[in-house]
Each structure stands twice: as C-alpha cells, then as structure tokens.
Amino acid sequence: MDEAVSATAGARVPRTERGRRTLRLILDAAAAEFGERGFHEAGISRITQRAGVALGTFYTYFDSKEAVFTALVRDMSMQVRDHVAPRLSGTADAIAAEGAGLEAFIGFARAHKEIYRIIDEAEFVDQASFRTHYQSTVDRIVTRLRRGAARGEVREDIGEVHGWAIVGMNVFLGLRYGVWNEDGAPEEIAGTVNAMLRDGLKP
Amino acid sequence: MDEAVSATAGARVPRTERGRRTLRLILDAAAAEFGERGFHEAGISRITQRAGVALGTFYTYFDSKEAVFTALVRDMSMQVRDHVAPRLSGTADAIAAEGAGLEAFIGFARAHKEIYRIIDEAEFVDQASFRTHYQSTVDRIVTRLRRGAARGEVREDIGEVHGWAIVGMNVFLGLRYGVWNEDGAPEEIAGTVNAMLRDGLKP
C-alpha cells in the first residue's frame, strides 16, 4: 500500500503542506484525547479544541470519531515503526538489530504512554486496525530474521510463530517497563531478552 | 490471600453448596455476556437471564456491573491457572513444564475465546485486576524457573524481565493461534517456542 495513503487511512489526504500540518495537529490532539479519556468518552469537539482548529476543519479530514480513531491507530503504528527503524541499521547482526529495536520501543513507550491505551482499545473499537498493526509488526520481524538466517546469523527455520513470540515479548516489556513503571534501563532490559533470543535462535 | 476468598473477589462469598452453584451460573453467564457484548453494552438483567436466575439473586452476590466484572476477571485468571497447573507436573524439567503450560494455554484460549475480550477490556474497566492478573502470572513463571535454576536446569539469573517476556509470548501466541485462527497444532507451536526458550535460558 502507498505509504502516504496508509498514513492517513480513514482520513482524506491533504494536498498542501498547510493541510498536512493541520492533519498532524488533529491526530496529535486525538492521541491525547483518546489516550486520556478512551474511545467512548472522547469527543470530536474536545479533539478540535485540543488541536486549536474549528469543528468544520475536522470534518474536512474525517467523517466520524471512528474514522479519526482508525487513522490514529495507523498513525501510531507507523510512528513506532519509524522510531524503531533507524535503530535497526548499523547493528552487528539480525539479533543485535532486534535488541536495538526493543530498546528503542521501550523508550518510545515511555515517551508515548498513550499508545497502549489506544492500540489496545482498537481490539474493541476497530478490530481490523488492531490485527493489521500486530500482523505487520510480526511480518517485519520475520522478514528481518529470515534475512539474518540467509546470512547464517540465526536458525534457518524462522517462522510466524517466532515472530508472534517476539512481538508478544516486546509488547509486554513495553507495557511493564515503559508504561507502568520506568524501573530498569531500556538497554539492560533489551539486553537480557536479546541474550535469550541470541542463544534461542542460534543457527 | 485465601483462595476461596480471592475466587470471589468483588462478590459476597456463598456459604452453601447451592449458593456456590448459583454464583458459578452467574459468573459463566457474565463471561458469555461480557465476552459477546463488551463491558459497556453488557447488562445485569441480560446476565441474570442467561444464568436463569432472578435479578434479586444477582444482587445477593454483587452490588454492580463493575463488581461482577472484577469477580469475573479474577475467576478467569484462576481458571487459566487451574487449567494449566496440572499439565506442569510430571514434565522432564522446568523448560518442559513451561512448554506444557503454553500448549495447555493455547488449548484453553481455543475453548474460551472470550477470555481475551474480558481480560484485555479490564485494562480500561478495571486496571487493578488487569495488572494483578499479569503480575501474578509472571510471579508464578519466575518462581518455577528459579526452582529450575536451583536444580541446574536453567540459567541462574532468571528475573522479572524473563517472566514478562515469557508471559508476553504466551499471551500473543494464545491470541493469534487460539482466538484469531486455530491453524497449527498447539503442541507444535509450543514446541517451536520451547526450543527457543531451552537454548535461550540454558545454564
């Protein structure tokens, strides 16, 4: 799917730079509103107040509260990906890359604690977006590890089950050490898990 | 905490066998109702209809929809534990026990698909019960693995981070292969992850 389109799924795509900035304001305000009040209590007029835009401006981009929520889940999913991706390159091997990715993710969760509230609530509000977020995360990890397998860095039979196991680990470590309580340095937490992964997936 | 009390947290504890059966009917009906409709759409009168008990009977045990939800999360948490526990004994070592536990959990998730709907919604409806469920699951795993470490079966420095990583793996594998799609035999899925854990946590 075209990235520019998928970034604004559920939203009409702005054609101008000014439009893109306005959409960004609305999505950030929606993250704050849904993160703080949850989907059911959140309101479109509260989102526009937070964003400092007129109610009519909201409807230029979105038809409903459901539409902005769907766009927000997609947006947060891509924010995570974009935050983690640069940390993956330049690492020693496929396992080190996953370790750097987890460390970056825990840091992201600490800075964006609302992400769990929003993506987890998608399980109830927008099941399709919830599944897409996790399936695409799994797909990226499996692809990276299979490339590592081709280079002889990890076992050859990397499959979906490994991908789901690793995503589950990362999600729960981000919840526990990113959102609930920031005890422990992200690099140490990621290091502990990465040592397990390195021995566990060795060729 | 006393198990008989914790089993009915949020509920008044029935003193007779008949009372315990009635409470069981209400909790099972609540699982069906919350699992199908979610917390916000669920209704006490619909729960009593499903259970085949009078509305007044409900209030003998619970004060509110919140109270029965809290009791249900605790009840499901203990159902998982009680379903998994017998499978852990008689296994070759600590790692094999965790593998048997994951296999049993995937089976439980297939038979009780509503468990995710209910426990995950607790993140929004009853955060304390949500945290208690996962923290106690982590505690049990860490305790078991440390006993294994004392027997020389796994590395000595097992800690909370390992516990959260394993719980996360299990939860996501249960969601993907238990609730969303039952492709793959639970023993094969658990076997794949257990091989990773065995090498990853070796002494």
Side-chain angles (χ1 to χ4, degrees):
Chain A
M1 195 192 302
D2 183 84
E3 297 286 297
V5 173
S6 75
T8 51
R12 279 174 282 278
V13 184
R15 276 181 240 155
T16 63
E17 180 55 35
R18 184 156 176 271
R20 279 186 288 276
R21 278 199 303 271
T22 304
L23 179 57
R24 185 72 260 156
L25 284 174
I26 295 173
L27 286 171
D28 288 345
E33 173 74 2
F34 288 123
E36 201 176 298
R37 297 167 59 86
F39 182 81
H40 294 285
E41 299 297 319
I44 290 175
S45 64
R46 294 180 55 97
I47 292 172
T48 56
Q49 277 167 32
R50 284 176 189 266
V53 304
L55 194 60
T57 306
F58 176 92
Y59 288 103
T60 313
Y61 296 101
F62 301 104
D63 287 328
S64 62
K65 187 164 83 167
E66 284 74 13
V68 69
F69 185 83
T70 294
L72 179 63
V73 171
R74 187 76 60 104
D75 178 67
M76 299 214 85
S77 184
M78 302 216 314
Q79 278 193 50
V80 174
R81 188 200 61 184
D82 293 346
H83 179 81
V84 169
R87 304 284 295 271
L88 301 173
S89 57
T91 44
D93 62 14
I95 293 293
E98 294 310 313
L102 173 55
E103 184 185 330
F105 176 66
I106 294 171
F108 185 89
R110 288 184 177 184
H112 301 85
K113 292 187 199 295
E114 74 281 6
I115 189 176
Y116 279 84
R117 183 86 167 87
I118 292 164
I119 291 183
D120 289 358
E121 196 164 19
E123 185 176 0
F124 308 106
V125 172
D126 181 0
Q127 175 81 216
S129 294
F130 180 75
R131 293 193 183 203
T132 299
H133 168 66
Y134 285 119
Q135 184 66 59
S136 61
T137 309
V138 167
D139 291 347
R140 286 197 298 271
I141 289 178
V142 171
T143 300
R144 292 198 297 258
L145 287 177
R146 282 182 173 155
R147 283 192 200 126
R151 295 190 301 262
E153 294 164 4
V154 295
R155 57 190 298 158
E156 283 181 2
D157 63 349
I158 293 293
E160 279 252 313
V161 170
H162 295 111
W164 282 96
I166 292 169
V167 167
M169 284 185 348
N170 293 355
V171 168
F172 269 66
L173 291 164
L175 180 64
R176 166 61 185 79
Y177 295 100
V179 178
W180 288 0
N181 194 330
E182 298 191 10
D183 50 338
E187 58 267 39
E188 278 178 36
I189 296 159
T192 298
V193 175
N194 205 238
M196 183 171 86
L197 222 52
R198 179 169 297 283
D199 290 333
L201 297 180
K202 69 180 187 300
Chain B
M1 195 191 305
D2 183 84
E3 296 286 299
V5 172
S6 75
T8 51
R12 279 173 282 278
V13 183
R15 276 182 240 153
T16 64
E17 180 55 34
R18 185 156 174 270
R20 280 187 286 277
R21 278 200 303 271
T22 304
L23 178 57
R24 185 73 260 159
L25 284 174
I26 294 172
L27 286 170
D28 288 345
E33 174 73 2
F34 288 123
E36 202 176 298
R37 297 167 59 86
F39 181 81
H40 294 283
E41 299 296 319
I44 291 175
S45 64
R46 294 179 54 97
I47 291 171
T48 55
Q49 277 166 33
R50 284 175 190 266
V53 304
L55 194 60
T57 305
F58 176 92
Y59 288 103
T60 312
Y61 297 100
F62 302 103
D63 286 328
S64 62
K65 189 165 81 167
E66 284 74 13
V68 69
F69 185 81
T70 293
L72 180 62
V73 171
R74 187 76 61 107
D75 179 68
M76 300 213 85
S77 184
M78 302 217 313
Q79 277 192 53
V80 174
R81 188 200 61 183
D82 293 346
H83 179 81
V84 168
R87 303 283 295 274
L88 302 174
S89 57
T91 44
D93 61 15
I95 294 293
E98 293 311 312
L102 173 55
E103 185 185 330
F105 177 66
I106 294 171
F108 185 89
R110 288 184 178 185
H112 300 86
K113 293 187 199 296
E114 74 281 5
I115 188 176
Y116 280 84
R117 183 87 168 88
I118 292 164
I119 291 183
D120 289 357
E121 196 164 20
E123 185 175 359
F124 309 104
V125 173
D126 181 1
Q127 175 81 217
S129 294
F130 180 75
R131 292 192 183 203
T132 299
H133 168 65
Y134 285 120
Q135 185 66 59
S136 62
T137 308
V138 167
D139 291 347
R140 286 197 298 272
I141 289 179
V142 171
T143 300
R144 291 198 297 260
L145 287 177
R146 282 181 174 156
R147 283 193 199 125
R151 295 189 303 263
E153 295 164 5
V154 295
R155 56 190 298 157
E156 282 181 2
D157 63 349
I158 294 292
E160 279 252 314
V161 170
H162 295 111
W164 282 97
I166 293 169
V167 167
M169 284 185 348
N170 293 356
V171 168
F172 269 67
L173 291 164
L175 180 64
R176 166 61 184 80
Y177 296 100
V179 178
W180 288 0
N181 194 330
E182 299 190 9
D183 50 338
E187 58 266 40
E188 279 179 34
I189 296 160
T192 297
V193 175
N194 204 237
M196 183 171 85
L197 222 52
R198 180 169 297 283
D199 290 333
L201 297 180
K202 69 177 187 302

